[in-house]
C-alpha cells in the first residue's frame, strides 16, 4: 500500500482516480491484493503514521551520511479551498486560514508547509500551519520536531527577526542568517550575503520539486486527515527518491525521470 502511494507521487500523478484508471491493471500482477480505489484511499489515510515513520528512517540514514551542520528554511503555499468558496462548512475550518504568497502574488485559503532542508537536498523536517502564520513563528517548533546537528540556518527576509536570532544563538548555539531590510544596518558584506543566498536556493529547489512534480498545491484532499496524509506521502516520496538515486549512482535530486 505504501509502495503504491509513493510510486503515484514519484510519477507525478496527483489524482487517485486517474492513477487507478491508468495503472490498476499494470499494478495488479505485483500487488494481487490491491483494493478498489475508495478502500485504497481509506487504508492509505490509516497508514499516515507508518508513512511518516518510513520518512524518518530514510532521513536518519541520509542525514547520518552527510552530518549536515547547515540547512535552509522556507515555506510553500498549500491551498485547500477556492478563495471565494464558503469555508464554514468545510472540514478545513479551524485548521486553515487566509494567507498571501508574495513570490507568486497569490492570495489563498489554506496552509503553509514549512520545511527544513539540508544543503544536500534532504528534507530534514516539515511542519504544516495555517496560511496566516508568519514564516518566523514555527521555527523553534520545527527545529524541535527533528534530530539534527545544525549549527547554521539560512532563511530569506521573512526570518529577519532579531529576537528569534538571539534566542536560537543563546539557547541552541544555532546561528540564523537572514538578509536585512533596506533601512537596517548591514550585518555582513554584499559578497557574503550573495554566498548565503546561493546556499539558500537548495530549499527553493526542493520546494519547486514539491510543487511541480509532486503537485503540492494540487493535492485534491477534501479533509484535514486526507491533507496530512497526502503531504506525508509527498515528502516521504521525495526522501525515497533521493535514496534510490544515491543507490543508483545518480544525482540525488534528479527525480523527474526516476520512476518513468
Amino acid at each position: 500500500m505504501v509502495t503504491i502511494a509513493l510510486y503515484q507521487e514519484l510519477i507525478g500523478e496527483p489524482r487517485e482516480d486517474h492513477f487507478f484508471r491508468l495503472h490498476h491493471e499494470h499494478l495488479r500482477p505485483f500487488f494481487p491484493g490491491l483494493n478498489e480505489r475508495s478502500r485504497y484511499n481509506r487504508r492509505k489515510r490509516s497508514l499516515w503514521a507508518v508513512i511518516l515513520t518510513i520518512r524518518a528512517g530514510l532521513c536518519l540514514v541520509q542525514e547520518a551520511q552527510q552530518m549536515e551542520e547547515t540547512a535552509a528554511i522556507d515555506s510553500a503555499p498549500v491551498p485547500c479551498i477556492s478563495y471565494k468558496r464558503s469555508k464554514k462548512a468545510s472540514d478545513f475550518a479551524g485548521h486553515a486560514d487566509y494567507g498571501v504568497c508574495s513570490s507568486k502574488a497569490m492570495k489563498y485559503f489554506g496552509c503553509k508547509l514549512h520545511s527544513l532542508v539540508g544543503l544536500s537536498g534532504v528534507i530534514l523536517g516539515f511542519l504544516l500551519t495555517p496560511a496566516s502564520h508568519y514564516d518566523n513563528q514555527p521555527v523553534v517548533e520545527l527545529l524541535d520536531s527533528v534530530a539534527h546537528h545544525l549549527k547554521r540556518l539560512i532563511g530569506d527576509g521573512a526570518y529577519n527577526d532579531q529576537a528569534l536570532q538571539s534566542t536560537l544563538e543563546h539557547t541552541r548555539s544555532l546561528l540564523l542568517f537572514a538578509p536585512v531590510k533596506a533601512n537596517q544596518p548591514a550585518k555582513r558584506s554584499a559578497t557574503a550575503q550573495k554566498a548565503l543566498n546561493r546556499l539558500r536556493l537548495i530549499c527553493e529547489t526542493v520546494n519547486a520539486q514539491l510543487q511541480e512534480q509532486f503537485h503540492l498545491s494540487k493535492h485534491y484532499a477534501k479533509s484535514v486527515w486526507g491533507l496530512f496524509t497526502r503531504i506525508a506521502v509527498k515528502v516521504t516520496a521525495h526522501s525515497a527518491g533521493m535514496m534510490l538515486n544515491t543507490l543508483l549512482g545518480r544525482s540525488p535530486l534528479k527525480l523527474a525521470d526516476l520512476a518513468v
Side-chain angles (χ1 to χ4, degrees):
M1 187 68 65
V2 175
T3 302
I4 296 172
L6 297 179
Y7 175 69
Q8 178 187 342
E9 295 298 339
L10 285 170
I11 64 173
E13 178 51 73
R15 295 189 56 166
E16 285 181 0
D17 53 346
H18 289 178
F19 174 72
F20 261 70
R21 186 169 65 249
L22 294 173
H23 301 280
H24 187 271
E25 293 303 320
H26 302 294
L27 291 171
R28 177 69 70 177
F30 301 99
F31 303 95
L34 182 61
N35 299 314
E36 48 89 19
R37 191 185 70 83
S38 62
R39 185 176 296 178
Y40 162 80
N41 181 274
R42 292 193 298 271
R43 290 191 63 185
K44 185 173 76 170
R45 282 182 289 167
S46 299
L47 291 171
W48 68 271
V50 175
I51 294 169
L52 285 179
T53 302
I54 293 172
R55 193 204 74 82
L58 290 169
C59 187
L60 280 174
V61 173
Q62 292 168 320
E63 204 274 335
Q65 292 174 336
Q66 303 292 333
M67 294 295 287
E68 304 205 57
E69 296 183 346
T70 304
I73 188 170
D74 204 355
S75 67
V78 185
C80 294
I81 306 176
S82 172
Y83 192 79
K84 295 182 180 180
R85 182 181 164 189
S86 174
K87 315 301 186 296
K88 293 182 180 180
S90 168
D91 189 64
F92 294 105
H95 298 276
D97 206 346
Y98 291 97
V100 176
C101 178
S102 301
S103 61
K104 297 179 180 293
M106 176 180 71
K107 294 181 179 180
Y108 68 99
F109 182 87
C111 299
K112 276 184 181 178
L113 178 70
H114 303 266
S115 53
L116 189 65
V117 180
L119 297 186
S120 63
V122 176
I123 301 176
L124 301 175
F126 68 98
L127 193 65
L128 207 60
T129 68
S132 57
H133 284 206
Y134 293 110
D135 285 358
N136 60 348
Q137 287 180 293
V139 171
V140 173
E141 184 179 356
L142 178 55
L143 289 170
D144 285 342
S145 68
V146 295
H148 58 80
H149 306 86
L150 297 178
K151 296 181 180 179
R152 293 168 294 274
L153 195 58
I154 307 171
D156 59 16
Y159 300 90
N160 178 23
D161 182 337
Q162 184 60 47
L164 176 62
Q165 291 170 329
S166 179
T167 298
L168 293 178
E169 183 175 1
H170 289 97
T171 63
R172 300 165 183 263
S173 299
L174 179 63
L175 298 177
L176 173 59
F177 298 98
V180 297
K181 297 179 181 178
N183 60 352
Q184 293 178 319
K187 292 184 177 180
R188 59 194 66 90
S189 67
T191 303
Q193 186 57 56
K194 286 182 180 178
L196 290 174
N197 291 342
R198 284 195 294 271
L199 292 176
R200 187 177 58 80
L201 286 177
I202 187 65
C203 198
E204 296 187 5
T205 298
V206 171
N207 279 343
Q209 288 181 322
L210 291 176
Q211 292 284 7
E212 295 170 13
Q213 181 179 349
F214 297 91
H215 302 283
L216 180 65
S217 294
K218 298 179 181 179
H219 47 77
Y220 295 99
K222 296 179 174 60
S223 67
V224 175
W225 188 11
L227 176 64
F228 287 167
T229 302
R230 296 186 188 205
I231 296 296
V233 174
K234 292 177 190 299
V235 176
T236 303
H238 189 277
S239 298
M242 287 191 65
M243 177 64 77
L244 284 172
N245 275 334
T246 301
L247 294 173
L248 294 171
R250 292 159 43 102
S251 173
L253 287 174
K254 191 177 180 181
L255 302 176
D257 60 347
L258 178 61
V260 175

